Amino acid sequence: MSKPHFIYLCLAVGAVVASCGGCAVKDAAVADGDSRAVSRAGSQERVTLDEIAQIAAKCDSEYTDGWICGREPRVFKSPYGKLSPMAKAEFAEAYRRFIESTDQDLINRPSSYISYTRRAAFARKYWSESSAYGQSFKKESKKMQVAWVHESLWDAGELWWRAAEKRFGPKINSLGIMAHDQEQDMVFKFADVEGSPRNFADEYGRAPHVTTDDHVTTGE
């Protein structure tokens, strides 16, 4: 399957009256790749910051395998990994709201997937302007900044999703899970569009120049 992976079906929580294109929801929450309806259904049905932080804290305390699409371990090479669970949760929440604010509508328009380039630009701005971590981020080498941005993106997407799984449990549709995995796989592979994966060296070459730089090897 290729584009069918992007079919995001609605998850009912109580009575559902939903249009998944615009995600107009009444008395419902929807757990899907877009996640738009989750936030619009009311705070009682939205994944909370504390729920995300709890997932981060648990995973920070142990080795977690199969973090991305059941295969990649949750291992960090940048200072992002040393951030507190709450700091990771705060970014995951901000990242989710960013996706919700875009024109991404994977249910009706699979090609509306938000490119890695846009996601990375958001993450770089977030970390650069962070009152708590901005100075630390900007002091890192270009290589480490690229790693920090990348790790924060794929980790945030999975932290939010696992918090949603814990909240909504078996009500999550299996096709929604497949769609989430497809999106995470594209993010992990630096992809701007489906079927065109890139690598760390590609992203390094496109990233903004940093004065304190170091060497990067292809395929890292």
Side-chain angles (χ1 to χ4, degrees):
M1 297 174 68
S2 54
K3 290 192 181 303
H5 281 157
F6 283 113
I7 299 175
Y8 289 72
L9 297 187
C10 293
L11 157 66
V13 178
V16 177
V17 180
S19 168
C20 290
C23 288
V25 180
K26 181 179 180 180
D27 298 327
V30 177
D32 57 27
D34 267 342
S35 312
R36 291 169 181 259
V38 172
S39 64
R40 297 182 185 182
S43 60
Q44 73 278 9
E45 297 299 353
R46 183 183 178 93
V47 172
T48 69
L49 193 62
D50 285 342
E51 287 172 336
I52 302 171
Q54 287 171 13
I55 299 294
K58 182 177 185 300
C59 293
D60 283 353
S61 67
E62 59 189 20
Y63 175 79
T64 306
D65 204 0
W67 189 244
I68 303 296
C69 304
R71 63 169 194 270
E72 305 292 344
R74 188 175 184 264
V75 175
F76 304 113
K77 298 180 181 179
S78 79
Y80 167 80
K82 299 182 186 298
L83 301 185
S84 70
M86 183 55 70
K88 294 185 178 83
E90 288 170 348
F91 175 73
E93 167 100 339
Y95 176 48
R96 182 51 47 190
R97 289 184 184 277
F98 160 70
I99 295 298
E100 291 167 2
S101 73
T102 69
D103 60 354
Q104 178 169 283
D105 179 3
L106 300 179
I107 298 168
N108 294 308
R109 293 182 293 108
S111 62
S112 66
Y113 162 81
I114 299 303
S115 69
Y116 184 88
T117 297
R118 286 182 64 185
R119 296 168 193 255
F122 163 79
R124 180 172 290 276
K125 185 174 188 294
Y126 177 95
W127 293 117
S128 295
E129 297 180 359
S130 167
S131 58
Y133 304 104
Q135 290 305 311
S136 296
F137 177 81
K138 288 183 285 189
K139 287 178 182 178
E140 293 294 336
S141 67
K142 178 178 176 178
K143 175 182 176 181
M144 201 55 65
Q145 287 185 10
V146 171
W148 186 325
V149 165
H150 185 55
E151 290 174 355
S152 67
L153 286 171
W154 56 253
D155 192 50
E158 196 62 28
L159 286 173
W160 186 93
W161 178 257
R162 299 214 178 190
E165 284 185 319
K166 186 174 181 180
R167 171 179 276 268
F168 300 116
K171 296 175 182 177
I172 295 179
N173 189 284
S174 61
L175 288 182
I177 296 172
M178 287 176 59
H180 164 74
D181 284 347
Q182 178 74 358
E183 183 177 20
Q184 280 290 86
D185 187 54
M186 291 176 69
V187 171
F188 190 79
K189 293 178 178 177
F190 304 87
D192 277 344
V193 295
E194 187 178 7
S196 298
R198 297 185 295 111
N199 58 35
F200 188 95
D202 294 328
E203 187 62 20
Y204 178 88
R206 303 195 317 169
H209 175 72
V210 175
T211 302
T212 56
D213 203 4
D214 58 0
H215 179 67
V216 63
T217 55
T218 303
E220 182 173 341

